Amino acid sequence: MRRFSIAVVAAVTLGTALSSVPAHAEVRSGGRGLAHCAAGTCHFDVTPGTYDVRVTLGGKAASSTSVTGESRRSLLPETAVPAGKRVTRSLTVNVRTPEGEPTGPEGTPGLDLRIGGSAPALAGIEVMRARHARQIFLVGDSTVCDQPGDPYSGWGQQLPQYLREGVSVANYADSGESTVTYLGNPRLWATVRPLIRPGDAVLVQLAHNDKTTDEATYRANLEALVAGVRERGGQPVLVTPVVRRWFNPDGTLNNATALLVNGLGVDHPAVIRSVAAARDVPLIDLTAKTKALVESLGVEGSKALYLTDEARDNTHTSVRGATAYAGLVRDELVTLRLVPKGTVRVG
């Protein structure tokens, strides 16, 4: 991350110590809020929960600022502000333990926000306990999760930047999980299910690791997840898996590896579509949408979406790929009316 520029924010100095704020308190814009920030990081000693964050950006010089937080989550896309101007942007963030993958390390207590961008300028910050925020829970695997280190990124890690104040993303996706292991691990489904409130959306994308799951079991597991969400009053949403970047000689992805057909011949996207239709569940066909995008970019252009060059990996996405795929999910959330249009950032 780039070093935090403070030239346009006189209220912050390199010697400013990080301070804490009780979970019930509010940190207002201006000097008091900035007292929690130093060297590009703002820390708030809050308990797990959902918080609204409002940042004021800009300074004497033209600036361009982004905000990430917790386990490498993109919370605010890079925002340009002309010289001498100020803009306020708002977001809602989920603070939890562990702060990233549910089976990963706990992370640091409280809320950590990192100020980045090509010319960052933070003029003020405000953190408040959120009231009546909508929650989007994510149940998935490594293509969705909050990946702990570069160059990896799951699409769920990039989704928050597309949402404004009033909607939080609680990403409980975990690397290596199948429908079988997600249901069976007490740190996963048994932990997520009690947190679901009436009206919360729960997006389920599990397929990549169901390599030895037969069709009957896979279908039953998806149905169990759907039923569990509905029993809590939530809205289940089934998501077909992102494609693997595995081209045919003719430049298409029409093969079992790319389209997630396992060794037993189970066509995961087809089963997901079938369960969604049979159980009247909203469907995000991310397989179809990512297939179309990857094919449109071609063999060479699509490499940037995956970790082909870095790790010879055509399954896991780069930050660029995860951001593009999160944008596809954002569009579908709006189309399905799962989030109000006013809470969505476009572009």
Side-chain angles (χ1 to χ4, degrees):
M1 179 175 290
R2 295 178 177 84
R3 188 175 182 82
F4 183 43
S5 172
I6 58 171
V8 297
V9 187
V12 184
T13 68
L14 288 174
T16 302
L18 295 180
S19 56
S20 64
V21 55
H24 63 276
E26 296 181 357
V27 179
R28 294 296 180 182
S29 300
R32 185 182 174 201
L34 291 173
H36 295 265
C37 305
T41 298
C42 300
H43 174 77
F44 302 94
D45 188 17
V46 298
T47 57
T50 305
Y51 294 87
D52 290 332
V53 178
R54 296 174 188 172
V55 292
T56 301
L57 308 175
K60 292 181 179 179
S63 61
S64 187
T65 309
S66 63
V67 179
T68 59
E70 297 298 87
S71 183
R72 300 179 61 238
R73 298 179 220 159
S74 294
L75 302 175
L76 183 71
E78 190 153 348
T79 302
V81 181
K85 300 294 184 180
R86 296 284 192 275
V87 300
T88 298
R89 294 290 183 266
S90 302
L91 57 99
T92 300
V93 60
N94 172 255
V95 177
R96 60 182 184 271
T97 303
E99 68 179 31
E101 295 181 84
T103 63
E106 288 193 359
T108 57
L111 171 61
D112 289 296
L113 302 172
R114 284 166 285 281
I115 312 303
S118 57
L122 177 66
I125 189 166
E126 179 181 358
V127 174
M128 299 175 293
R129 175 79 72 168
R131 297 180 180 180
H132 312 300
R134 294 189 179 210
Q135 296 182 102
I136 299 175
F137 287 92
L138 303 182
V139 170
D141 52 36
S142 58
T143 64
V144 185
C145 76
D146 288 348
Q147 288 281 358
D150 287 327
Y152 291 82
S153 180
W155 62 255
Q157 201 164 21
Q158 302 300 324
L159 184 60
Q161 67 182 297
Y162 290 118
L163 302 170
R164 302 177 190 272
E165 181 180 326
V167 181
S168 71
V169 176
N171 191 352
Y172 283 85
D174 197 72
S175 294
E177 307 300 342
S178 65
T179 58
V180 176
T181 61
Y182 204 95
L183 285 166
N185 190 328
R187 289 181 290 179
L188 299 173
W189 185 235
T191 296
V192 176
R193 187 177 175 277
L195 300 175
I196 300 169
R197 305 173 309 186
D200 288 342
V202 183
L203 277 57
V204 178
Q205 187 214 279
L206 288 166
H208 279 86
N209 300 301
D210 279 279
K211 298 173 184 177
T212 60
T213 309
D214 63 77
E215 183 169 338
T217 301
Y218 185 64
R219 181 181 296 272
N221 289 343
L222 292 175
E223 291 173 341
L225 290 164
V226 167
V229 174
R230 284 177 166 167
E231 286 165 4
R232 295 289 301 171
Q235 174 62 70
V237 182
L238 292 177
V239 183
T240 60
V242 300
V243 294
R244 294 190 179 100
R245 184 188 162 277
W246 200 270
F247 281 93
N248 296 325
D250 64 359
T252 66
L253 299 178
N254 295 314
N255 59 76
T257 300
L259 299 181
L260 282 297
V261 178
N262 75 8
L264 301 178
V266 179
D267 185 331
H268 293 108
V271 175
I272 294 168
R273 295 177 189 118
S274 174
V275 172
R279 300 296 178 181
D280 193 25
V281 178
L283 174 74
I284 296 177
D285 198 341
L286 204 51
T287 304
K289 291 186 175 299
T290 56
K291 177 179 182 291
L293 177 57
V294 171
E295 288 182 340
S296 71
L297 292 173
V299 174
E300 290 302 316
S302 62
K303 286 181 178 179
L305 301 181
Y306 291 82
L307 299 176
T308 305
D309 293 331
E310 298 89 342
R312 303 183 71 179
D313 185 337
N314 291 301
T315 296
H316 297 97
T317 47
S318 62
V319 170
R320 178 175 173 180
T323 301
Y325 290 176
L328 297 176
V329 173
R330 179 269 317 270
D331 294 344
E332 289 300 291
L333 290 173
V334 173
T335 300
L336 294 170
R337 298 183 180 180
L338 293 170
V339 294
K341 286 186 177 180
T343 62
V344 175
R345 290 190 177 90
V346 179

